[in-house]
Amino acid sequence: MSEIPDESIQLMVTSPPYFNAPFDYPDLFKDYDEFLELIRDLSHDLYRVLAPGRVACFVADDMLVGGEKYPVVADITRLMLDAGFRYRDRIVWVKPKGYIRISRRSGVVIQHPYPMYYYPDNIQESILIFQKGRFDYSHLRELDSKSLSESKISIDDYHNQEWYLTVWNITNVLPFGSRLEKGIAAFPEEIPKRLIKLFSYFGETVLDPFLGSGTTMKVAQELGRSSWGYEIDLELKKIIKRKLNLNHSLDSRLVLVDRRDARKLRSSFQRKLRTQLSVTNK
């Protein structure tokens, strides 16, 4: 992220690509070590761009790929600690269980009701929160009255929506065909909304290095924050632009830059998946 000046970001909120998930980007990484190398590189660049005392949040979960379970949450934690961050907290995001039915994985017990056949279906992800050193709370004395008033957290939301717990019950983005993020593993706006309100002040800058459909930047814009976002898949550019332009205010400026390392990923993976399915069906 060479475009971003040192210590100029006040909050990072992101969801890294699910490691080789069939519903996201299957076979994006040649192996798990390559995925971890990406997170390792990111963690060191994050430490550079994040301001002292500020927070980085990852929405992630362990991945089951080809019958093998990969400890993504533990490994992200280890790599962020190695880069110099403090481990501040972990929140469990719980999705509604109503839309999940017994799968082939959890249904093994029904077919074989004996010990050692148990494999549960997953309805949760982790929100990992890391901090670069400690926050200097005297910073509040430097803020003007508007920044303070616009940054104030609603105690009603904090209490009634149970923000104070380490378990957040939030409906995920359901796979409706009419939604803007069709075919994209987008996270719900409620997650960046809470994190931006809880860990940044009005007028500060938020970063999402795995932008996807642009949800973090959209919410940051709505909450009066500036933002940076990176997305390597050029085929998401139209969706990002449309999502941000829907709420684009007259006094804000949106700049999109195509870098040389950007490429068209989604259609190539969909073609590959169709080919694999065709071979399997034969």
Side-chain angles (χ1 to χ4, degrees):
M1 300 181 289
S2 58
E3 298 87 351
I4 302 180
D6 294 358
E7 300 186 347
S8 62
I9 301 294
Q10 282 74 43
L11 172 65
M12 187 215 71
V13 177
T14 198
S15 181
Y18 297 93
F19 168 64
N20 286 3
F23 57 81
D24 198 16
Y25 289 104
D27 301 325
L28 175 61
F29 303 96
K30 65 179 181 182
D31 54 31
Y32 188 54
D33 286 339
E34 186 178 61
F35 170 78
L36 294 182
E37 191 61 36
L38 173 66
I39 302 300
R40 183 180 294 107
D41 290 344
L42 171 66
S43 64
H44 287 286
D45 216 11
L46 269 180
Y47 199 86
R48 176 185 67 80
V49 302
L50 207 64
R54 306 316 287 262
V55 161
C57 305
F58 288 83
V59 181
D61 196 37
D62 297 342
M63 277 304 304
L64 180 70
V65 180
E68 188 76 22
K69 194 89 166 183
Y70 293 89
V72 174
V73 170
D75 284 332
I76 289 177
T77 302
R78 174 177 56 84
L79 292 171
M80 287 293 283
L81 293 177
D82 289 346
F85 286 92
R86 296 174 54 234
Y87 180 34
R88 174 160 172 153
D89 260 308
R90 173 176 171 258
I91 295 168
V92 177
W93 164 30
V94 179
K95 306 169 190 179
K97 60 184 178 182
Y99 75 99
I100 293 271
R101 296 292 181 266
I102 292 177
S103 71
R104 287 193 302 172
R105 188 169 195 264
S106 60
V108 172
V109 167
I110 297 175
Q111 295 175 323
H112 306 280
Y114 302 102
M116 298 302 295
Y117 285 98
Y118 174 65
Y119 295 96
D121 288 326
N122 184 30
I123 59 167
Q124 62 88 34
E125 292 190 40
S126 293
I127 303 173
L128 304 170
I129 303 173
F130 304 95
Q131 190 168 7
K132 181 179 174 179
R134 298 185 183 276
F135 182 66
D136 182 359
Y137 289 92
S138 67
H139 174 66
L140 275 69
R141 295 196 294 267
E142 303 170 3
L143 298 177
D144 57 72
S145 57
K146 181 181 180 181
S147 295
L148 275 177
S149 63
E150 293 286 349
S151 304
K152 194 169 183 179
I153 297 166
S154 167
I155 299 305
D156 286 341
D157 288 346
Y158 189 74
H159 181 267
N160 296 334
Q161 298 180 29
E162 299 181 332
W163 294 11
Y164 57 89
L165 297 176
T166 58
V167 175
W168 289 354
N169 291 279
I170 299 173
T171 301
N172 53 314
V173 178
L174 298 174
F176 297 137
S178 59
R179 69 183 177 94
L180 182 61
E181 307 92 340
K182 183 179 179 181
I184 304 168
F187 56 23
E189 293 184 11
E190 183 66 19
I191 290 178
K193 172 188 166 185
R194 293 188 187 188
L195 295 172
I196 290 170
K197 285 188 172 185
L198 290 169
F199 293 113
S200 73
Y201 287 86
F202 180 82
E204 292 188 333
T205 304
V206 178
L207 164 69
D208 188 344
F210 301 108
L211 188 57
S213 63
T215 302
T216 298
M217 290 186 76
K218 174 182 182 289
V219 176
Q221 184 183 72
E222 292 172 348
L223 296 177
R225 275 69 164 173
S226 298
S227 58
W228 284 86
Y230 288 85
E231 174 52 53
I232 199 171
D233 191 351
L234 277 172
E235 293 178 89
L236 296 179
K237 182 179 177 180
K238 288 182 180 178
I239 295 173
I240 294 168
K241 192 172 181 179
R242 183 180 169 193
K243 182 177 281 191
L244 295 179
N245 278 335
L246 287 175
N247 297 327
H248 196 44
S249 59
L250 295 176
D251 60 347
S252 65
R253 188 166 63 100
L254 176 62
V255 179
L256 283 83
V257 178
D258 291 351
R259 289 200 335 189
R260 289 184 178 181
D261 55 349
R263 48 204 167 108
K264 293 184 177 181
L265 287 178
R266 190 157 299 273
S267 58
S268 64
F269 278 108
Q270 287 174 345
R271 284 195 301 270
K272 185 175 182 180
L273 182 60
R274 284 196 296 269
T275 301
Q276 289 174 341
L277 290 173
S278 175
V279 170
T280 302
N281 290 336
K282 288 177 181 179

